[in-house]
Amino acid sequence: MSQNIAIVIPVYNNPNTIKKVLDDALLLNMKIIVIDDGSEVSVESLVHKNNNLLIVRHEKNRGKGEALLTAAKTAKELGFKHIIAIDGDGQHYPSEVKKLLPLIEEESIIIGNRKFKEDVPNSSKFGRAFSNFWIFMESGRWLGDTQSGFRAYPLSILDLNLKQSHYDFEIEVLIKHLWKKREIKEVEIEVYYPPKGTRVSHFDKVTDNVRLSKLHSRLVFKNLLRLLTFGYYTG
C-alpha cells in the first residue's frame, strides 16, 4: 500500500527544523516531496540529495494551500494515489505516519488528531474547538482536530474546485470533500510543541483569521442553502 503514497512537506522559512524533519521522514523509506514555498534560504541548499527526496520550489511564496496543491499535482504525475502531509516546523513526528497508513482508503481523508498536553498554548486549544464548531455548522459532521495539518489526502481532492491558497485551504478541502459524501477518518498522534517563544509559525493572527472568517461565512451560507434544498445535511 505504501508504494502508492508519497509524503509531502510544505516548507516556508523553516531552516532550523527542516533538515531534522527530512532525516526522520527518510527513515520511512517512502517518497518525500518537499514544496519549498519561496523560502529565503532554499531547502535544497540545506539538505543532502537522496533518491527518495524530490524538492519542488516556488520562487515566490504562494501560501500553504498552493504548496499542498503543487504537491498533490506532482504526486499524481509520479503515479501516486495518496499523499500524507506533514509540517516542516518540527511539530510533527514523521514516525507517526505509520498510524495513518492502515486507515487509508481510496476516497478517505485521514486526520491526525494532535494529542494536546499541558504545555499546549490555550490559544491552540481554543482555535481547535472554534474550528471544529464551524466545520460542524458547515457539514453536520463533528471532527476532533480540524486544524491539524498532519493528514492523508486522496488525490481526488484535485477534483474539488479548491480556491483557497493559504491556511484556509485546510478548511475548504474538508468541507468540499464531505459535501461530495466522501469519508474522513481520524487517529490520535503525538506532536511536539517547542517552548514559548521558540516556535516559528507563519500563521498571521490578523490576516489568516480574516481569511478563515470569510471562508466560514461563505461555507455556512452555502450549506444552509443545501440544507433548505435537500432537507438534510449533505456532508
Side-chain angles (χ1 to χ4, degrees):
M1 179 67 177
S2 61
Q3 67 269 22
N4 294 323
I5 306 166
I7 296 173
V8 303
I9 307 176
V11 182
Y12 176 59
N13 288 347
N14 291 121
N16 296 324
T17 56
I18 187 57
K19 187 178 184 302
K20 176 66 164 61
V21 172
L22 284 175
D23 285 345
D24 290 348
L26 286 166
L27 293 175
L28 297 171
N29 196 30
M30 296 171 66
K31 188 70 174 183
I32 313 294
I33 301 172
V34 173
I35 307 301
D36 181 351
D37 193 29
S39 298
E40 294 174 10
V41 179
S42 70
V43 174
E44 190 170 15
S45 69
L46 297 171
V47 300
H48 298 294
K49 291 184 178 180
N50 187 292
N51 290 335
N52 278 338
L53 176 62
L54 172 64
I55 300 174
V56 179
R57 179 172 169 83
H58 292 166
E59 289 306 319
K60 294 182 179 180
N61 179 252
R62 300 185 194 174
K64 188 178 184 182
E66 285 287 343
L68 288 170
L69 284 174
T70 295
K73 292 171 184 175
T74 303
K76 186 174 182 178
E77 290 171 0
L78 294 173
F80 293 99
K81 295 182 179 179
H82 301 264
I83 57 173
I84 296 178
I86 65 177
D87 291 344
D89 62 2
Q91 179 189 158
H92 297 150
Y93 297 115
S95 58
E96 295 290 89
V97 163
K98 295 177 181 178
K99 293 182 178 179
L100 275 63
L101 293 176
L103 301 177
I104 291 177
E105 294 180 348
E106 186 171 349
E107 292 294 343
S108 295
I109 289 177
I110 317 298
I111 300 176
N113 290 359
R114 296 164 295 173
K115 184 178 181 181
F116 279 177
K117 299 178 181 178
E118 295 78 14
D119 57 347
V120 175
N122 288 331
S123 59
S124 294
K125 295 176 182 178
F126 173 80
R128 177 162 76 174
F130 186 78
S131 179
N132 293 349
F133 168 77
W134 285 112
I135 290 288
F136 172 74
M137 294 298 292
E138 294 151 10
S139 70
R141 174 76 183 272
W142 277 109
L143 295 169
D145 190 0
T146 56
Q147 287 194 327
S148 173
F150 195 113
R151 300 177 181 180
Y153 293 107
L155 293 185
S156 59
I157 64 169
L158 292 171
D159 303 326
L160 293 178
N161 189 29
L162 299 166
K163 299 179 180 179
Q164 309 309 310
S165 59
H166 295 82
Y167 288 98
D168 45 2
F169 169 92
E170 292 178 309
I171 297 299
E172 181 190 31
V173 69
L174 295 181
I175 294 301
K176 291 189 174 180
H177 181 84
L178 286 171
W179 284 354
K180 288 285 188 179
K181 297 188 177 182
R182 296 171 181 171
E183 183 59 45
I184 293 179
K185 300 179 183 179
E186 303 173 278
V187 63
E188 188 176 71
I189 60 166
E190 299 285 343
V191 290
Y192 169 69
Y193 270 86
K196 186 177 180 180
T198 63
R199 184 186 174 206
V200 177
S201 174
H202 300 294
F203 184 90
D204 188 294
K205 292 182 179 179
V206 176
T207 303
D208 284 307
N209 276 321
V210 168
R211 287 193 184 107
L212 286 167
S213 296
K214 288 181 177 179
L215 176 64
H216 283 307
S217 297
R218 291 195 299 270
L219 292 175
V220 167
F221 178 71
K222 287 181 180 180
N223 199 58
L224 178 60
L225 290 179
R226 293 163 65 85
L227 187 60
L228 292 172
T229 300
F230 297 105
Y232 56 88
Y233 277 113
T234 57

